[in-house]
Amino acid sequence: MKSAAVSGLLSSLVLALLALAVLPGCDTVTTGPPPSDTELTMWLGSYSSSGDDDSGAIMIDINRTGRTATAELVIRSHEQETPYNHLYLKGSVHGDDLDLGLDTDRIAYSFTFDVELTIGPGGTMSGSFYFSTYDMTATFDCVELESAEVGADTFIDVSAVTLGLAYDSEDIWISTSSRDHFLMDSTGAFVDTVVVFLVGDARWASDALTSDGSLLYGGYPVTVGGPEGSRNESDIVEFTKDGTVSRRFRIGHRTSGLAWSGTGLWSLPIESDSLYRLDLEGTVLETVPAGVPDLVDIEFDGEYFWAIGWFMKRLYKISSFGEVLTVYHLPGEYGYIFPTALAFDGSHFWYSYNTSYLGSRIYRLSVE
């Protein structure tokens, strides 16, 4: 999932790009949340409005210290024209009951969002919220996610906007908004630059990128008009390691992330919080519900899905059935950054976020 907000932000980043370079990595890396006596818990679930006119996914990161609490919340609506809402909350704690409202000290909100919730036994939570933007009251149920941290042993700064990452069995590919692909080895050292010409002299790079070990696959956004209006689709572009486009085929959704399934592709649609398994003709063979409201890119290691969030800057380990098993804290998760891509090289994950309208940082991560 990259939301409309994601696509808009990345478009702005493309226009603002001025220069390209891969700079040396650094060895001292700070990971995870800041040290604190605060109790941190993260919850994932679903909500539905009392009028049954809206439903969706909800994620809440709650920090409790004594009788006070702060929280970060993301909801993804299945019905609203603006599907994503990312909010900061604060309030009071009464035993296992929390009353939360918008944190107006952090952001000057022009609406209200009030939450009442109860943390129950066995890692469960339930409650209700009122959202004045839609004049909506909804109830929700969540489960607590197991939380962990990753090790980050190096990072690489790129003075270009990173769109996608992939591992081709030898090198890490970095697709950029300059329409160039940088290649680096497993240590983060620069190897080469590859340009892909999609049509004629048109240079192209994708924000959804993966490899089967010999070929690369990316997504080219397509809007198709019809009697009932327009719809978003994608062309999957297959190309060789020297940048030669070998073929294209159409899929019926706008992809945000791609991963190699072993025989075909896994796709993360913008319009859905499920994952689609595709053959190499574009036919959907399987659907796996992921449930996380703001996924932006995915990987598949042959057994588990791995994904990163856009608003909640986390790494998620997801079972083949779509159950979120563990959520990992990431470097920079409390900074003003834009997560973009994820790749797995067989032993390490490579995670990128944009640090400004001109540059990106790519971390090499180890997950126990």
Side-chain angles (χ1 to χ4, degrees):
M1 178 283 320
K2 285 193 178 77
S3 66
V6 176
S7 300
L9 282 169
L10 289 179
S11 298
S12 299
L13 294 171
V14 169
L15 294 175
L17 177 68
L18 296 179
L20 310 173
V22 176
L23 303 179
C26 301
D27 294 326
T28 301
V29 179
T30 301
T31 65
S36 174
D37 294 331
T38 300
E39 180 184 358
L40 309 176
T41 53
M42 198 158 184
W43 305 82
L44 175 65
S46 60
Y47 76 90
S48 59
S49 67
S50 56
D52 294 326
D53 55 357
D54 190 25
S55 62
I58 183 170
M59 178 169 282
I60 310 177
D61 189 355
I62 299 176
N63 305 337
R64 288 188 288 174
T65 304
R67 295 189 178 183
T68 63
T70 59
E72 186 178 1
L73 176 146
V74 176
I75 58 174
R76 176 186 177 126
S77 169
H78 295 159
E79 315 295 337
Q80 303 294 340
E81 291 184 2
T82 304
Y84 299 97
N85 286 276
H86 174 227
L87 307 171
Y88 293 99
L89 310 173
K90 66 178 181 179
S92 57
V93 177
H94 313 278
D96 288 327
D97 298 328
L98 280 74
D99 295 324
L100 303 171
L102 293 172
D103 188 349
T104 54
D105 293 332
R106 183 160 186 166
I107 296 177
Y109 294 103
S110 60
F111 51 87
T112 59
F113 188 95
D114 298 308
V115 183
E116 295 180 355
L117 61 87
T118 299
I119 297 174
T124 62
M125 181 177 73
S126 61
S128 64
F129 64 78
Y130 174 75
F131 199 173
S132 67
T133 299
Y134 307 111
D135 191 22
M136 178 179 69
T137 298
T139 58
F140 60 87
D141 292 285
C142 296
V143 295
E144 184 178 0
L145 299 180
E146 180 181 344
S147 183
E149 293 185 24
V150 298
D153 56 12
T154 192
F155 66 80
I156 299 92
D157 283 332
V158 181
S159 58
V161 174
T162 297
L163 302 178
L165 295 172
Y167 176 63
D168 71 356
S169 76
E170 295 178 327
D171 298 313
I172 306 296
W173 285 64
I174 310 168
S175 63
T176 72
S177 56
S178 66
R179 306 311 180 198
D180 285 326
H181 297 81
F182 297 142
L183 275 63
M184 64 182 179
D185 64 21
S186 60
T187 69
F190 177 75
V191 174
D192 200 357
T193 300
V194 176
V195 177
V196 178
F197 293 99
L198 189 57
V199 178
D201 294 333
R203 294 153 62 109
W204 167 81
S206 174
D207 59 1
L209 192 66
T210 193
S211 174
D212 65 1
S214 59
L215 296 170
L216 284 296
Y217 298 89
Y220 180 79
V222 177
T223 300
V224 179
E228 298 180 356
S230 62
R231 65 182 185 275
N232 291 324
E233 299 183 348
S234 297
D235 278 356
I236 300 300
V237 180
E238 177 189 273
F239 60 98
T240 62
K241 293 183 182 182
D242 66 2
T244 302
V245 174
S246 46
R247 69 188 188 105
R248 294 166 63 167
F249 57 90
R250 182 68 53 88
I251 60 175
H253 61 271
R254 181 70 56 83
T255 184
S256 170
L258 293 172
W260 182 247
S261 72
T263 57
L265 298 171
W266 285 102
S267 177
L268 173 64
I270 289 177
E271 300 88 350
S272 171
D273 48 15
S274 294
L275 308 176
Y276 298 162
R277 184 167 66 89
L278 312 171
D279 65 18
L280 293 182
E281 300 298 328
T283 303
V284 177
L285 304 176
E286 182 181 359
T287 301
V288 174
V292 180
D294 67 334
L295 296 185
V296 70
D297 198 14
I298 58 168
E299 252 302 0
F300 183 62
D301 66 5
E303 182 177 5
Y304 300 105
F305 297 107
W306 300 82
I308 52 172
W310 174 258
F311 297 112
M312 295 279 197
K313 304 167 182 69
R314 309 289 191 271
L315 172 68
Y316 301 95
K317 181 181 180 181
I318 303 172
S319 76
S320 59
F321 301 103
E323 179 187 1
V324 178
L325 302 175
T326 312
V327 55
Y328 296 87
H329 294 283
L330 286 169
E333 68 181 46
Y334 291 97
Y336 190 66
I337 62 172
F338 309 105
T340 56
L342 185 69
F344 181 61
D345 67 8
S347 58
H348 295 88
F349 288 94
W350 295 83
Y351 157 63
S352 69
Y353 61 71
N354 294 325
T355 55
S356 70
Y357 290 105
L358 301 177
S360 301
R361 176 163 289 181
I362 302 173
Y363 282 94
R364 185 175 65 191
L365 306 174
S366 298
V367 178
E368 294 290 332

